[in-house]
Amino acid sequence: KIDLDTYEPFKLMRVFPTKSRANIRVMHMLHPQDLLIYTALVLIVKNDIEANRVPVKSKRVYSYRTDILKPQVLYGAKGSYEAYRNQLNAKAENDKVKFIAIADIADFFPRIYQHRLENVIESVATGQRTRDVARVLVRKLIGNLMGRNSYGIPVGPYASRLLGEAILIDVDATLQSQSVNFVRWVDDYNIFCKTEYEA
């Protein structure tokens, strides 16, 4: 019965878990009601996002892959990271690979532009429902949760992981179209090169 066009979410809680011995990261804890709404909206758009990602069979992108035959499951995680690590090792052992360029997107989730996220979801949408969800999810819910800033999505909720993957659809597609030999896990790119100049 909640009208998401006018709904004001609860204020989220910022917590600061350790990332390493010397660093901390910001994470967001959503009110349970907001977490349910957020997750439900992402479940609606997840299949359209997955259908536009670099295919699994390309063995390039391993993080948070969705099974479109499981509507109540955000993504499967079992064995994904191990498969990613195995692919890194296989590519690194190739005789043609002499250099590996490693790129990590700094502050990835806190710096995602919400307008771009909304555009990505709308562009992959196969129906009006997904386009409507894109507007409500990003402009209304995420925008309000993030203090009406134009950037950032909640860090921590599982649903955010799929939105992060959506943002990188065009980056992955561009790299693949240019025959860049890369493997990615979330915001970490590993690019396998023949020369230092190429790296």
Side-chain angles (χ1 to χ4, degrees), residues 163-176:
L163 299 181
E165 295 296 324
I167 281 289
L168 296 175
I169 286 173
D170 60 343
V171 177
D172 294 338
T174 300
L175 291 173
Q176 185 165 345

Side-chain angles (χ1 to χ4, degrees), residues 8-24:
E8 288 287 334
F10 294 84
K11 187 172 182 175
L12 54 75
M13 183 187 304
R14 287 178 173 79
V15 294
F16 302 91
T18 56
K19 185 175 181 180
S20 66
R21 290 179 117 179
N23 292 321
I24 59 170

Side-chain angles (χ1 to χ4, degrees), residues 3-134:
D3 181 351
L4 295 179
D5 272 316
T6 58
Y7 176 68
E8 288 287 334
F10 294 84
K11 187 172 182 175
L12 54 75
M13 183 187 304
R14 287 178 173 79
V15 294
F16 302 91
T18 56
K19 185 175 181 180
S20 66
R21 290 179 117 179
N23 292 321
I24 59 170
R25 70 172 72 213
V26 175
M27 290 187 71
H28 302 112
M29 294 181 68
L30 277 59
H31 185 279
Q33 178 173 292
D34 294 337
L35 183 61
L36 286 171
I37 293 168
Y38 184 50
T39 304
L41 291 172
V42 174
L43 279 168
I44 292 169
V45 301
K46 77 174 183 86
N47 287 352
D48 287 347
I49 291 170
E50 182 65 32
N52 285 273
R53 295 177 66 190
V54 169
V56 173
K57 64 183 178 184
S58 72
K59 296 183 179 179
R60 297 199 181 280
V61 179
Y62 288 85
S63 45
Y64 310 118
R65 301 308 304 228
T66 293
D67 184 344
I68 60 174
L69 299 177
K70 296 180 179 176
Q72 284 86 18
V73 179
L74 282 170
Y75 53 81
K78 189 175 182 181
S80 300
Y81 190 73
E82 292 78 14
Y84 161 73
R85 298 292 300 177
N86 291 338
Q87 183 67 357
L88 289 181
N89 289 334
K91 286 190 175 288
E93 290 172 2
N94 185 320
D95 290 338
K96 294 179 181 177
V97 172
K98 303 297 181 192
F99 295 88
I100 303 171
I102 299 172
D104 178 357
I105 302 171
D107 293 327
F108 180 50
F109 290 100
R111 295 291 169 206
I112 290 175
Y113 280 100
Q114 294 162 14
H115 183 69
R116 183 165 179 249
L117 177 61
E118 183 180 355
N119 288 342
V120 167
I121 297 171
E122 286 178 349
S123 71
V124 302
T126 56
Q128 187 59 43
R129 185 175 189 217
T130 302
R131 283 187 281 279
D132 291 340
V133 167

